[in-house]
Amino acid sequence: MPTSEARTAATEGARFHRFTEDVFRSLHRVEQRRWARAYLWALIHGSGKKTPRHMARSEALPASAIQGLHQFINASPWDWRPVRRRLALRVAASAAPYAWTVAELIIPKTGKHSVGVHRRLDPVTGREVNCQRALGLYLAGESHSFPVDWSLVLSGPWDWDPQRRRRSRIPEEERERPVGAYVLDHAADAVTLPHVAGLPWVLDLTRCDDAAGVLAGLARERLDVVCEVDPGQVVLVGQHTPTVSTVGAVMGIRHARQPHVMVQHTREGGAKAVPIYAYADTVRLPQLAVGADGAARTYRILERPASDGRVPARYWITSLTDRPVDEVLSLVRGRTAALSAVKALQDRFGVLDFEGRSFPGWHHHMTMASAAYVYQYLDGASGRDAVSPAAAAAQLSGAAS
């Protein structure tokens, strides 16, 4: 190996080792940490499907690696939660995050035995799909949104069929719940993290069946929000004798809204002016009106009007009532970045490729995919080609031997 390539391999090997030693510190067995390094390297540098069978074909891993990779994901009893917490803390310390956001991931499946798989109507295409439905929690930084936690949405027999639940090793506390409940669970965990506990939550609640409940739950946690909502979202208008109205109705009163202009950068490097309207007063949430925590919290309504008659107007409700309109809506870029991260996780890091059937196995694989993304875009060298098999072997340091 040329000297320059050897130095590059040594540098990346040291970086990779530091990352894995930090993130996987909760894995107490040496063999578990070795297979974690092997699995992580294969997710980052391997090509094709990211299953143990395909990843074991890498030149950097021995032929016997398939059994070890499979065992590490599907049978090894390690707890994924401390690993995800370390990922979140690492992102919090290095990526200058400015918001939390959540993005849905639909994982198509052909059979009916994978944990959580069910048939549901895709709201985008209008077609019924056989799939797993997951929610990813992201920390939005200046250059990327980083996945740091996951929920698998259970429904139907996965909630009440004891045989299915036992076969898939679903914990007793995991039950069917509204999607909004998973968001609030993530928020309850997030407030325990230093440095990022108080970041605002940027969410798209337009297709959430319990948008009002999510907003109320975040208010009870004293968390700020910038949430896109349906025009039918109910609000209370007026301070002394409030009346019930909707976001769309409030913004339909022309004299009650104030015009603003937000400058938006285009993909071509230019800029364009985007008209925005803000409700001149504040509103409250009915769910918090009677003696509940957060009852005094007020919200501002923002509207981006329809521009060409084809794209409908968009509405946001935010608790950041004292910030400039353009500053508030600039936070929405975190949501866009999370959707880009979902695509990268699908295309590069194998979040669609888990073939096991167990609940712990699914969470193990998704944790490793998150670790691969964080390493690649935060700790690694995301713009470089994969290192050579010889360099990879040095990085793994006998992980699969």
Side-chain angles (χ1 to χ4, degrees):
M1 181 186 298
T3 302
S4 59
E5 187 175 348
R7 284 198 299 266
T8 299
T11 299
E12 184 161 353
R15 184 188 300 119
F16 188 82
H17 180 76
R18 288 194 300 270
F19 179 86
T20 56
E21 286 296 298
D22 177 36
V23 170
F24 301 119
R25 64 171 67 178
S26 61
L27 276 60
H28 299 300
R29 292 169 52 190
V30 173
E31 187 172 340
Q32 286 178 327
R33 293 197 295 275
R34 287 176 176 171
W35 283 113
R37 288 198 295 271
Y39 202 94
L40 183 65
W41 181 89
L43 284 175
I44 295 170
H45 296 297
S47 58
K49 292 191 70 173
K50 302 302 173 68
T51 64
R53 184 176 301 278
H54 283 82
M55 292 192 297
R57 295 173 182 170
S58 165
E59 295 178 57
L61 297 174
S64 60
I66 180 173
Q67 183 60 33
L69 296 174
H70 175 83
Q71 171 82 12
F72 172 69
I73 290 296
N74 292 292
S76 184
W78 55 276
D79 189 349
W80 58 85
R81 288 164 295 191
V83 177
R84 293 179 184 177
R85 186 175 179 86
R86 286 305 310 165
L87 285 174
L89 291 172
R90 200 171 183 93
V91 172
S94 304
Y98 58 84
W100 291 100
T101 190
V102 172
E104 184 179 66
L105 173 67
I106 299 300
I107 306 172
K109 292 292 179 181
T110 56
K112 60 181 181 179
H113 298 295
S114 296
V115 61
V117 70
H118 63 285
R119 297 195 68 80
R120 71 182 296 266
L121 188 68
D122 186 330
V124 177
T125 64
R127 298 177 180 177
E128 195 175 61
V129 293
N130 195 62
C131 64
Q132 293 168 318
R133 186 184 186 191
L135 294 179
L137 175 66
Y138 296 79
L139 266 174
E142 289 304 318
S143 57
H144 293 278
S145 276
F146 296 91
V148 295
D149 205 357
W150 294 93
S151 293
L152 181 63
V153 180
L154 300 176
S155 63
W158 299 104
D159 179 56
W160 51 259
D161 186 332
Q163 185 176 354
R164 283 197 184 198
R165 290 177 61 85
R166 185 168 53 252
R167 185 173 57 236
S168 298
R169 291 183 284 152
I170 299 174
E172 179 59 32
E173 65 272 14
E174 289 290 336
R175 294 289 179 177
E176 181 173 5
R177 294 174 292 159
V179 169
Y182 291 95
V183 176
L184 295 180
D185 281 351
H186 284 307
D189 290 337
V191 296
T192 68
L193 291 167
H195 309 303
V196 291
L199 294 180
W201 284 69
V202 179
L203 302 172
D204 180 355
L205 300 179
T206 55
R207 292 200 296 266
C208 179
D209 294 336
D210 189 28
V214 173
L215 287 168
L218 294 173
R220 283 190 286 269
E221 294 284 357
R222 298 293 195 273
L223 295 170
D224 284 310
V225 298
V226 182
C227 295
E228 186 169 1
V229 295
D230 187 274
Q233 170 66 46
V234 177
V235 292
L236 292 178
V237 181
Q239 300 299 317
H240 302 294
T241 56
T243 58
V244 177
S245 187
T246 65
V247 165
V250 166
M251 296 307 288
I253 306 172
R254 293 187 177 276
H255 71 268
R257 60 184 192 177
Q258 301 169 331
H260 296 263
V261 175
M262 186 174 72
V263 177
Q264 187 176 71
H265 296 287
T266 65
R267 293 181 179 178
E268 295 76 23
K272 66 176 182 178
V274 178
I276 299 292
Y277 291 107
Y279 183 51
D281 203 346
T282 57
V283 299
R284 289 184 291 149
L285 297 178
Q287 291 78 10
L288 298 174
V290 185
D293 289 344
R297 171 167 285 201
T298 57
Y299 297 84
R300 196 177 194 185
I301 301 172
L302 304 176
E303 175 192 1
R304 178 172 177 174
S307 57
D308 56 9
R310 295 191 300 271
V311 179
R314 298 173 66 185
Y315 301 91
W316 289 267
I317 186 168
T318 179
S319 58
L320 300 171
T321 57
D322 57 347
R323 296 195 192 180
V325 168
D326 56 347
E327 181 181 328
V328 172
L329 285 185
S330 71
L331 297 175
V332 176
R333 72 190 189 277
R335 164 82 184 161
T336 304
L339 297 178
S340 297
V342 169
K343 189 174 189 319
L345 287 162
Q346 292 172 327
D347 294 345
R348 298 190 59 185
F349 303 113
V351 292
L352 304 182
D353 296 339
F354 176 67
E355 293 181 344
R357 296 181 178 182
S358 76
F359 184 87
W362 184 87
H363 274 283
H364 287 163
H365 178 76
M366 300 302 280
T367 300
M368 297 304 298
S370 292
Y373 186 99
V374 171
Y375 176 77
Q376 187 75 355
Y377 293 114
L378 186 64
D379 290 76
S382 57
R384 293 210 305 263
D385 295 333
V387 296
S388 68
Q395 288 177 22
L396 295 179
S397 301
S401 60

